[in-house]
Amino acid sequence: MIAPVENKPEDVPPAVVDEEEAEDGEDGAPETQGAGGEGKKKKKKKKPKKKKLEQTEPPSIGLSRLFSDGNYPEGEIQDYKDDNSYRTTSEEKRYDERRMMEDIDETYNNIRKAAEAHRHARKWARKFIRPGMRMLDIADGIEDAVRTTVEANGLEAGIAFPTGLSLNHCAAHYSPNPGDTLVLGEKDVLKIDIGVHVRGRICDSAFTLSFDPTYDPLLEAVRAATDTGVREAGIDVRLGELAGYIQETMESYEVEVNGKVLPVRPIEHLSGHTIHPYQIHGKKSVLLYKNEDQTKMEEGEYFAIETFGSTGRGKVVEQGEVSHYARRADAPHVPLRLTSAQNLLKSINKNFGTLPWCDGTSSGGGEQLNHLVSQGIVQDYPPLCDVRGAMTAQFEHTILLRPTRKEVVSRGDDY
Ligand code: HZT
Ligand code: MN
Ligand code: MN
């Protein structure tokens, strides 16, 4: 167990402080990813040089072998801004964090392992995804990489929700169902949204790939808007105001498509969200347009900060076949008359709990599943799409509002 404490205070036994995990200076600069520095080497000892274990392509090594001390790397650390900057040096807040650390350290380590698996899976995804591939093979490749690196094991660790592979005018919640023959095209804009969890601590993070440089400014706009959301997020920050900063950044970009200059519009009704153990979304939402929501972000919360931009109307409708389902955390207790529906619910509880999953039966969910949806026990999440011809992009990070600092757990050297 390590305590990621910046400076070792006099009253803390030295045993809990680990050099490797010490945060960098007070500048809030991104920390490097990976295993961190190795221990000191003895000067001259001719042992056969043991090559440092590295991840393979495709990933085949579980993270516990790459991080043999069991500690996974911290994400990017950002200081709180303005009114909140006192937290970083506040003796009281530092004490809170140390005291909380005893319980919380394990949950931090869990989400950090999930985030590290996310980085390994997406590094591989970026390399192997090419136009001409079937969407089903892309999903399988990514999900295999997640399961291998995170060392998937029942509800202890694994995929947190179906891998989103939404294309072009579709912004979210498309995954290929079995039998889908769709193939990735040269001009497609692909949103890759991967969820990984360790003991219910979910890392929800997404990026966009395009093979045609036309859409680079769209991707840049959305990446910048998400970074603004991450930077401006903080304890006591109001959700409606945060949305305004995101909007401002996104709207400062435009894209030229076939000689026509198009504004980049934030997508209405899509939003970031709080994350709870085994629950991908809580009650709080971070919209993409300035609004009057006075709700504040609070200490200890986990947020998915995600933004979506579009060259179309900036509005989405539900469109196409559903692939994402989740048992509602607040499911009403409804007596199920059909044994078949009871059995389906039992197997959902056993395999997924409240985590979203992808329906394995080829299409339309099946009769029992539709029954659970109509009873309000299961929620369906249909694909969300703007108008045909529009292009949409998404970037998303999971952040922790720690007592003294903000941790961008999913940050990598790619986004
Ligand atoms: C729902 C189902 C999933 C949460 C956001 C999202 C992908 O749009 C409150 C705010 C996975 C995630 C979700 F399978 N959604 N993040 N990553 N989708 S959401 C939402 O339904 S609920 C936003
Ligand atoms: Mn996501
Ligand atoms: Mn999300």
Side-chain angles (χ1 to χ4, degrees):
M1 231 51 39
I2 41 79
V5 194
E6 293 76 22
N7 294 308
K8 181 164 71 80
E10 312 308 87
D11 59 345
V12 171
V16 297
V17 177
D18 183 309
E19 288 180 358
E20 249 182 55
E21 205 63 16
E23 284 171 7
D24 65 7
E26 301 301 307
D27 58 358
E31 303 211 328
T32 50
Q33 303 297 341
E38 278 159 287
K40 304 149 208 152
K41 299 233 166 64
K42 285 243 173 87
K43 272 176 209 156
K44 274 186 211 159
K45 215 172 188 185
K46 265 200 209 148
K47 262 194 203 157
K49 229 187 190 173
K50 220 177 167 183
K51 226 184 137 204
K52 200 176 154 251
L53 190 58
E54 275 181 45
Q55 189 54 271
T56 59
E57 290 176 355
S60 68
I61 305 174
L63 294 182
S64 66
R65 289 179 62 204
L66 296 173
F67 298 86
S68 48
D69 65 357
N71 296 320
Y72 298 98
E74 202 173 39
E76 178 199 15
I77 301 301
Q78 291 187 5
D79 286 348
Y80 289 120
K81 300 187 59 181
D82 313 323
D83 292 357
N84 261 323
S85 54
Y86 82 92
R87 287 175 166 272
T88 305
T89 47
S90 155
E91 214 25 75
E92 188 192 333
K93 288 297 163 197
R94 291 157 68 87
Y95 173 79
D96 282 356
E97 181 152 81
R98 285 199 302 276
R99 190 176 44 79
M100 288 166 68
M101 222 29 101
E102 289 156 24
D103 304 320
I104 286 192
D105 192 45
E106 197 50 43
T107 76
Y108 285 179
N109 203 39
N110 288 337
I111 199 169
R112 287 175 191 154
K113 183 177 184 183
E116 184 65 16
H118 196 289
R119 284 186 287 270
H120 283 242
R122 76 205 200 204
K123 185 175 176 188
W124 165 241
R126 236 179 235 290
K127 266 201 157 163
F128 99 114
I129 295 175
R130 290 281 168 269
M133 287 180 69
R134 298 189 317 181
M135 300 307 288
L136 268 172
D137 294 331
I138 295 174
D140 285 346
I142 293 171
E143 294 185 3
D144 284 347
V146 169
R147 282 189 283 260
T148 301
T149 52
V150 82
E151 302 167 304
N153 172 24
L155 279 172
E156 280 284 295
I159 291 167
F161 55 78
T163 302
L165 293 175
S166 306
L167 291 171
N168 308 331
H169 65 299
C170 293
H173 301 167
Y174 161 78
S175 285
N177 279 321
D180 191 327
T181 56
L182 191 60
V183 166
L184 182 64
E186 302 267 0
K187 299 223 171 287
D188 283 343
V189 177
L190 170 63
K191 278 69 63 181
I192 302 180
D193 196 335
I194 308 172
V196 190
H197 82 93
V198 173
R199 299 194 160 189
R201 298 293 162 169
I202 302 169
C203 173
D204 178 8
S205 178
F207 62 104
T208 301
L209 283 186
S210 117
F211 307 92
D212 177 347
T214 304
Y215 297 105
D216 287 354
L218 172 66
L219 271 57
E220 209 35 58
V222 181
R223 184 206 302 267
T226 295
D227 269 338
T228 295
V230 166
R231 193 171 358 93
E232 299 295 332
I235 294 162
D236 295 333
V237 169
R238 293 181 196 277
L239 299 177
E241 192 184 324
L242 181 57
Y245 300 129
I246 290 170
Q247 176 184 3
E248 202 178 311
T249 298
M250 186 101 64
E251 288 179 342
S252 70
Y253 287 79
E254 48 194 24
V255 199
E256 194 183 317
V257 182
N258 300 326
K260 245 186 117 180
V261 176
L262 306 172
V264 178
R265 297 201 169 100
I267 300 183
E268 249 187 273
H269 306 307
L270 293 187
S271 65
H273 50 95
T274 41
I275 303 176
H276 302 293
Y278 291 104
Q279 205 186 310
I280 186 60
H281 61 86
K283 288 206 184 95
K284 295 186 185 178
S285 293
V286 185
L287 285 158
L288 311 183
Y289 284 90
K290 187 174 170 61
N291 61 81
E292 294 311 306
D293 188 350
Q294 304 293 316
T295 311
K296 289 175 173 177
M297 294 178 138
E298 292 172 73
E299 181 174 313
E301 284 181 328
Y302 291 49
F303 268 90
I305 301 293
E306 61 191 296
T307 78
F308 297 82
S310 176
T311 61
R313 294 176 64 222
K315 296 181 205 304
V316 287
V317 294
E318 298 179 351
Q319 193 178 90
E321 193 176 277
V322 180
S323 61
H324 294 39
Y325 295 89
R327 202 196 88 212
R328 298 173 65 126
D330 58 353
H333 188 80
V334 192
L336 292 166
R337 281 178 296 109
L338 296 165
T339 324
S340 46
Q342 285 171 21
N343 287 339
L344 176 60
L345 183 55
K346 274 184 202 156
S347 90
I348 291 166
N349 284 334
K350 179 171 161 275
N351 294 313
F352 310 108
T354 52
L355 292 173
W357 79 92
C358 197
D359 179 41
T361 69
S362 46
S363 69
E367 203 180 340
Q368 305 320 324
L369 185 48
N370 290 338
H371 183 63
L372 296 180
V373 172
S374 72
Q375 293 298 299
I377 297 168
V378 166
Q379 167 90 56
D380 58 351
Y381 296 89
L384 299 169
C385 307
D386 201 326
V387 289
R388 217 165 257 290
M391 287 296 181
T392 64
Q394 174 201 19
F395 282 89
E396 175 174 30
H397 277 298
T398 294
I399 66 170
L400 313 183
L401 299 178
R402 288 167 45 182
T404 62
R405 310 272 185 99
K406 184 166 38 180
E407 180 170 343
V408 189
V409 278
S410 51
R411 182 73 78 194
D413 55 15
D414 48 352
Y415 69 92

